[in-house]
Amino acid sequence: MDASPRFCAIDFGTSNSAVAVPDAAQGMRLIELEPGQRTMPTAVFYFAEGPHDADGPPRAFGRAAVAAYVDGHDGRLMRSMKSILGSSLIEQTTDVGGGRGAKYSDIVAGYLKRLRRLAGEPERVVLGRPVFFVDGEPERDAAAQAQLAACARAVGFTDVQFQYEPIAAAFDFEQQAIRDGKGEQTVLVADIGGGTSDFSVVRVGPERVQRLARRDDILASHGIHIAGTDFDRHIELAGLMPQFGYRATGPSGREVPSGIYFDLATWHLINTCYAPLRVAEWRGMKSWFADVRQHARLMTVLEERLGHELAARAEGAKIAVSGGADTTVDLGLVEPGLVLPLSERTAVDALRADLDRIIATAHETVALAGLKPAQVDALYFTGGSTGLRLLVDGMAAGFPQAARVTGDRFASVATGLGLHARRLFG
């Protein structure tokens, strides 16, 4: 790493993050954020005990944060922080354990500060952003970018620029295509991560790569606020939560209220389920359940604060079925011997509406570019959720003449942001 790099590029993702800095050969390279790892989970664990230091409460980041949670340390695990941007939550304070509170904006800023320090504390940055932080609400979308920029400036960045994540991925694809001797192409970039599914139609090629102004090469950008964390939630609701009373009917014929289950399946809302009044309310609702075992399981989750672990098990099940195989989910931590089967068919049924909307958004992007599907030369897939075979195959079927190219699911955007940062600042 340069002793003091002047700039960097940060892919601050819903699920994972990466950082690019200048290298000695006038290029950009991704740095190690953890030993042997160029990407790091976008996760922070606040320890309930320990003294504050200059950076604030005692914390762990990335894989160490997840490990602290799994190992049972007392505290609070924060994930999917990016999904808070554009909402009123950003300025609210949340309990992080040990009687301590932290503003969500400070949690985001603290994570960015960690990335900036690992990058050598440069002052200029290109940050990636989804096409839409918030669907259909331009004011909230603008507020989300402003909030992220404010967090970046709060930790020492003096020049903060943004680039759309799928466009950054297109720049990475362009470098690969040129190395492979390809000429000009029209590529549809599908960047499907943890929080958003973003698409761009971009012209790339050896005659265009050195141009700083690429606006006329960007034929269309579009996106939708549906992605990997939504897949996890739907799989948890369809595959796990029925064992806890979701959509169950009680002795009186009334359906058990569903709000608690949706909150338990949404990362940034899980902690709200542990409020003493809410736990007491559900403790008193045993008579609503025809199967009292379901109530007992739900109370175990609430009283032992197992919501994040359930969400993690749902995410693991999604990954397990992503290639087309059935799996099982071990919930012995809730009830000894409780193991649930999860079939690919259950996953398909749970995700079908989301997958259809994402694929429709890809076709809408091509239409916005004034093109027909046959005019798309290549599909470039990036983002963690492009590991879901059902999604990739479904999208490719709509563009049968396009070459299917898979980038580094977790690093393509950061690599492309680095290329843009080099052109902009270098």
Side-chain angles (χ1 to χ4, degrees):
M1 184 191 305
D2 294 348
S4 181
R6 294 177 296 116
F7 61 88
C8 71
I10 293 178
D11 175 19
F12 172 58
T14 301
S15 300
N16 294 276
S17 296
V19 179
V21 300
D23 63 19
Q26 299 300 305
M28 299 289 288
R29 64 182 180 86
L30 300 187
I31 62 172
E32 283 194 3
L33 299 179
E34 295 177 301
Q37 302 291 341
R38 300 185 304 162
T39 63
M40 182 169 75
T42 307
V44 183
F45 186 86
Y46 282 78
F47 292 95
E49 297 180 351
H52 282 58
D53 58 24
D55 291 330
R59 284 165 291 179
F61 298 87
R63 290 171 181 82
V66 176
Y69 171 77
V70 171
D71 290 344
H73 288 277
D74 190 15
R76 173 84 183 274
L77 177 67
M78 303 296 299
R79 293 186 66 182
S80 300
M81 296 173 283
K82 190 175 180 179
S83 63
I84 295 166
L85 295 169
S87 76
S88 59
L89 282 175
I90 193 70
E91 291 305 323
Q92 293 183 16
T93 297
T94 186
D95 174 28
V96 293
R100 296 165 168 156
K103 290 174 66 173
Y104 282 106
S105 58
D106 292 337
I107 294 169
V108 173
Y111 187 82
L112 292 178
K113 185 173 185 177
R114 175 74 170 187
L115 297 181
R116 180 173 181 259
R117 181 171 295 166
L118 291 169
E121 301 192 332
E123 295 185 351
R124 311 174 86 180
V125 64
V126 169
L127 279 167
R129 60 151 293 167
V131 175
F132 298 119
F133 281 104
V134 182
D135 293 337
E137 297 186 53
E139 290 184 0
R140 285 184 60 199
D141 186 75
Q145 178 170 307
Q147 290 162 0
L148 183 54
C151 290
R153 293 189 182 98
V155 300
F157 288 112
T158 58
D159 188 350
V160 180
Q161 303 293 326
F162 287 89
Q163 179 57 274
Y164 290 131
E165 289 155 359
I167 292 172
F171 295 155
D172 180 51
F173 170 82
E174 183 174 57
Q175 291 286 319
Q176 296 181 39
I178 291 172
R179 286 196 297 269
D180 292 340
K182 303 290 187 182
E184 182 171 312
Q185 298 181 79
T186 299
V187 57
L188 171 62
V189 177
D191 176 17
I192 305 170
T196 59
S197 294
D198 293 316
F199 301 92
S200 287
V201 180
V202 185
R203 283 192 300 245
V204 300
E207 301 300 320
R208 300 177 180 277
V209 65
Q210 296 301 329
R211 299 166 58 196
L212 179 59
R214 300 293 298 270
R215 183 172 296 275
D216 61 342
D217 290 338
I218 302 164
L219 305 184
S221 289
H222 193 26
I224 190 170
H225 208 268
I226 297 174
T229 55
D230 300 285
F231 303 159
D232 299 343
R233 182 171 63 253
H234 290 313
I235 285 178
E236 184 172 359
L237 289 169
L240 278 62
M241 286 303 179
Q243 296 295 321
F244 299 84
Y246 175 57
R247 289 188 169 175
T249 301
S252 66
R254 295 177 300 182
E255 184 174 300
V256 174
S258 60
I260 192 77
Y261 302 103
F262 284 98
D263 291 350
L264 279 170
T266 306
W267 265 97
H268 64 275
L269 297 177
I270 292 172
N271 216 54
T272 66
C273 299
Y274 306 144
L277 287 177
R278 200 170 188 189
V279 174
E281 177 187 15
W282 279 92
R283 189 178 297 116
M285 291 179 67
K286 184 176 180 179
S287 63
W288 283 68
F289 291 74
D291 185 344
V292 295
R293 294 176 303 172
Q294 295 173 350
H295 179 262
R297 291 167 187 154
L298 177 62
M299 293 314 303
T300 297
V301 170
L302 297 179
E303 291 171 348
E304 298 187 16
R305 300 192 170 207
L306 299 176
H308 289 95
E309 186 59 39
L310 283 185
R313 299 291 171 97
E315 181 183 13
K318 176 197 70 177
I319 294 169
V321 300
S322 65
D326 297 344
T327 190
T328 57
V329 185
D330 185 349
L331 294 180
L333 77 168
V334 176
E335 178 184 293
L338 182 60
V339 177
L340 306 180
L342 181 69
S343 67
E344 182 189 19
R345 174 48 53 191
T346 298
V348 169
D349 292 343
L351 302 181
R352 176 53 58 201
D354 280 352
L355 299 183
D356 288 346
R357 290 181 67 189
I358 290 170
I359 292 169
T361 303
H363 284 272
E364 289 166 9
T365 309
V366 173
L368 287 171
L371 301 177
K372 302 290 186 182
Q375 294 174 281
V376 174
D377 299 309
L379 301 178
Y380 187 57
F381 292 100
T382 187
S385 293
T386 54
L388 190 63
R389 179 184 63 84
L390 301 167
L391 176 58
V392 173
D393 288 350
M395 191 173 301
F399 300 90
Q401 298 181 45
R404 185 195 302 196
V405 183
T406 301
D408 186 319
R409 290 193 290 137
F410 299 109
S412 291
V413 170
T415 300
L417 290 172
L419 293 170
H420 182 65
R422 167 62 74 179
R423 294 170 190 150
L424 194 63
F425 297 137

